[in-house]
């Protein structure tokens, strides 16, 4: 499944326009390494442990468990209510970039509390992000940036929390037309929002990147225009937004809110598994940037967390049709990588040409389980 020809090359413009993500300042559940996640979970069919080889699933054999079907779940070895250390990913909080590791041309600085501008440099996380580049034809190239968390802490409505689940995949999509950035999509729960390139916040430009533990990328351009789009990850749910603040949704029985702010700034490019993907042949290739990145895990068809606990489980309850714990999510292969419109869903996809404070609550369209799309 690995190749070394032009079909696995990441275009330079994808590197130059790699996103930066503000994680929430008081987050409890930080980015996690998918390889480490597998060290703390075992495959189950529904609630029955699979008699598997002595070796645990890992990134190079995870697809071996496909023989047990799509109702396979990577169930935590620990009671997640006890908050084991691996679940929180605290060791993966992005660090400040080291001197000499990267250099920026800064043309979009954020104001400090004093009103003066301050430089913003993204830091490296020990949890690798996943970049999947897909050519769509007619000059369209989609760069999907996936972010994994071992736990999703659901929202509260009327002081009742629902929607917790083990394993959490979120993504940002940067779409290019003929080598130029055109739009950015931010995944939010079961849907998301798309913005024109001019509308999104951007930070300066990386002009050199030496190397990190996983990736070596030359960046030769000296264009000083701000070229790195900025996203915001919500507290607990990790839903992605274009702006910091409170993001409200209307439910039949109350209001739900996500919160984002300018917490630690994560530069996913500094540590990523990078790939190209052919949607026609369903072929994933490790890219020229990380040629040894494993590909087998991508083809796993089961869920990346526990099956929703049964009603008799003391950790589970149901409120207004919503469960405290829901199923873990499917992986990136099931996130509509072949989409024609920039949005994840198949409904209307309106490209927004401005960003700002939310004036009206959105309508909540989730129903408690992860949304999958056909391959």
């Amino acid at each position: 499944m690995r190749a070394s020809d032009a079909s696995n090359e990441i275009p330079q413009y994808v590197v130059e326009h790699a996103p930066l993500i503000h994680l929430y300042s008081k987050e409890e559940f930080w980015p996690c390494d998918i390889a480490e996640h597998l060290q703390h979970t075992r495959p189950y069919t529904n609630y029955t442990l699979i008699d598997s080889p002595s070796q645990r699933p890992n990134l190079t054999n995870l697809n071996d468990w496909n023989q047990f079907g799509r109702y396979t779940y990577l169930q935590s070895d620990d009671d997640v209510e006890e908050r084991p250390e691996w679940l929180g990913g605290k060791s993966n909080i992005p660090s400040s970039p080291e001197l000499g590791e990267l250099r920026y041309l800064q043309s979009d600085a954020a104001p400090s509390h004093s009103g003066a501008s301050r430089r913003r440099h993204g830091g490296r996380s020990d949890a690798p992000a996943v970049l999947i580049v897909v050519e769509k034809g007619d000059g369209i190239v989609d760069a999907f940036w996936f972010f994994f968390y071992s736990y999703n802490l659901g929202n509260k409505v009327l002081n009742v929390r629902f929607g917790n689940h083990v394993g959490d995949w979120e993504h940002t999509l940067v779409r290019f037309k003929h080598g130029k950035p055109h739009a950015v999509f931010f995944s939010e729960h079961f849907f998301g929002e798309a913005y024109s390139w001019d509308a999104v916040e951007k930070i300066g430009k990386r002009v050199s990147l030496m190397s990190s533990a996983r990736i070596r990328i030359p960046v030769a351009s000296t264009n000083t225009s701000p070229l790195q789009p900025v996203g915001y990850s919500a507290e607990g749910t990790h839903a992605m937004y274009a702006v910091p603040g409170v993001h409200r949704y209307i439910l039949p029985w109350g209001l739900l809110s996500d919160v984002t702010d300018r917490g630690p700034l994560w530069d996913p490019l500094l540590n990523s598994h990078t790939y190209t993907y052919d949607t026609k042949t369903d072929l994933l290739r490790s890219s020229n940037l990380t040629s040894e990145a494993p590909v087998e895990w991508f083809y796993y068809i089961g869920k990346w967390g526990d099956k929703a606990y049964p009603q008799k489980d003391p950790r589970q309850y149901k409120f207004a049709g919503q469960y405290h714990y829901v199923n873990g999510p499917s992986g990136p292969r099931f996130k509509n990588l072949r989409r024609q419109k920039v949005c994840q869903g198949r409904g209307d996809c309106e490209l927004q040409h401005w960003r700002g404070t939310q004036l009206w609550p959105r309508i909540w369209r989730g129903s408690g389980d992860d949304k999958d799309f056909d391959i």
Side-chain angles (χ1 to χ4, degrees), residues 79-81 83 151-152 161-166 306-309 315-317 322-327 368:
D79 180 356
V80 296
E81 293 276 285
R83 301 295 191 257
Y151 193 73
N152 178 102
R161 191 178 300 281
F162 69 92
N164 293 355
H165 53 85
V166 178
D306 296 20
K307 181 178 175 62
Y309 304 137
R315 296 170 293 185
Q316 185 66 288
Y317 57 75
Q322 302 291 322
Y323 286 92
H324 184 211
Y325 277 92
V326 299
N327 292 339

Side-chain angles (χ1 to χ4, degrees), residues 184-241:
V184 181
F185 173 80
F186 298 100
S187 65
E188 300 166 9
H189 302 289
F190 307 89
F191 34 95
E193 293 189 334
Y195 295 83
S196 67
W197 177 255
D198 289 340
V200 297
E201 177 184 355
K202 293 174 281 292
I203 295 176
K205 184 176 184 300
R206 183 186 291 109
V207 295
S208 67
L209 175 63
M210 298 301 290
S211 65
S212 66
R214 295 177 184 265
I215 194 167
R216 180 181 297 274
I217 302 172
V219 182
S221 172
T222 57
N223 186 337
T224 60
S225 300
L227 296 180
Q228 296 172 272
V230 179
Y232 294 83
S233 175
E235 178 186 18
T237 69
H238 312 120
M240 303 293 297
Y241 295 93

Side-chain angles (χ1 to χ4, degrees), residues 31 65 145 206 306 330 336:
W65 276 262
W145 290 89
R206 183 186 291 109
D306 296 20
S330 300
N336 200 9

Side-chain angles (χ1 to χ4, degrees), residues 293-307:
V295 299
E296 292 82 1
W297 65 270
F298 174 80
Y299 293 96
Y300 170 63
I301 63 176
K303 304 290 188 178
W304 281 77
D306 296 20
K307 181 178 175 62

Side-chain angles (χ1 to χ4, degrees), residues 69-273:
R70 294 188 67 168
Y71 297 102
T72 302
Y73 297 82
L74 297 176
Q75 182 169 310
S76 170
D77 291 337
D78 304 292
D79 180 356
V80 296
E81 293 276 285
E82 296 180 358
R83 301 295 191 257
E85 184 175 350
W86 65 270
L87 202 68
K90 190 174 181 179
S91 62
N92 300 319
I93 298 174
S95 59
S96 298
E98 297 180 3
L99 183 64
E101 182 180 38
L102 66 154
R103 182 163 57 90
Y104 288 85
L105 289 177
Q106 190 69 23
S107 58
D108 185 13
S112 68
H113 294 296
S114 65
S117 64
R118 57 182 173 83
R119 296 171 66 86
R120 287 190 287 166
H121 291 173
R124 182 188 186 277
S125 171
D126 285 340
V130 173
L131 168 63
I132 300 177
V133 175
V134 183
E135 291 191 17
K136 298 292 179 66
D138 297 325
I140 295 176
V141 172
D142 284 346
F144 292 87
W145 290 89
F146 284 95
F147 316 115
F148 183 77
Y149 307 81
S150 283
Y151 193 73
N152 178 102
L153 183 67
N155 300 95
K156 279 187 176 182
V157 180
L158 301 177
N159 208 35
V160 178
R161 191 178 300 281
F162 69 92
N164 293 355
H165 53 85
V166 178
D168 187 20
W169 282 102
E170 303 291 341
H171 74 276
T172 291
L173 162 63
V174 182
R175 170 162 289 188
F176 301 88
K177 286 188 175 181
H178 303 290
K180 304 295 183 181
H182 173 70
V184 181
F185 173 80
F186 298 100
S187 65
E188 300 166 9
H189 302 289
F190 307 89
F191 34 95
E193 293 189 334
Y195 295 83
S196 67
W197 177 255
D198 289 340
V200 297
E201 177 184 355
K202 293 174 281 292
I203 295 176
K205 184 176 184 300
R206 183 186 291 109
V207 295
S208 67
L209 175 63
M210 298 301 290
S211 65
S212 66
R214 295 177 184 265
I215 194 167
R216 180 181 297 274
I217 302 172
V219 182
S221 172
T222 57
N223 186 337
T224 60
S225 300
L227 296 180
Q228 296 172 272
V230 179
Y232 294 83
S233 175
E235 178 186 18
T237 69
H238 312 120
M240 303 293 297
Y241 295 93
V243 295
V246 178
H247 313 273
R248 296 182 174 87
Y249 298 87
I250 296 176
L251 288 80
W253 63 92
L255 283 176
L256 172 154
S257 295
D258 273 330
V259 182
T260 58
D261 67 9
R262 296 185 187 275
L265 186 60
W266 179 18
D267 186 347
L269 183 64
L270 295 179
N271 185 15
S272 300
H273 300 301

Side-chain angles (χ1 to χ4, degrees), residues 8-16 133 135 141 179 276 288-289:
N8 78 330
E9 292 185 2
I10 303 295
Q12 181 67 20
Y13 55 78
V14 170
V15 173
E16 292 180 347
V133 175
E135 291 191 17
V141 172
T276 62
N288 60 310
L289 301 182

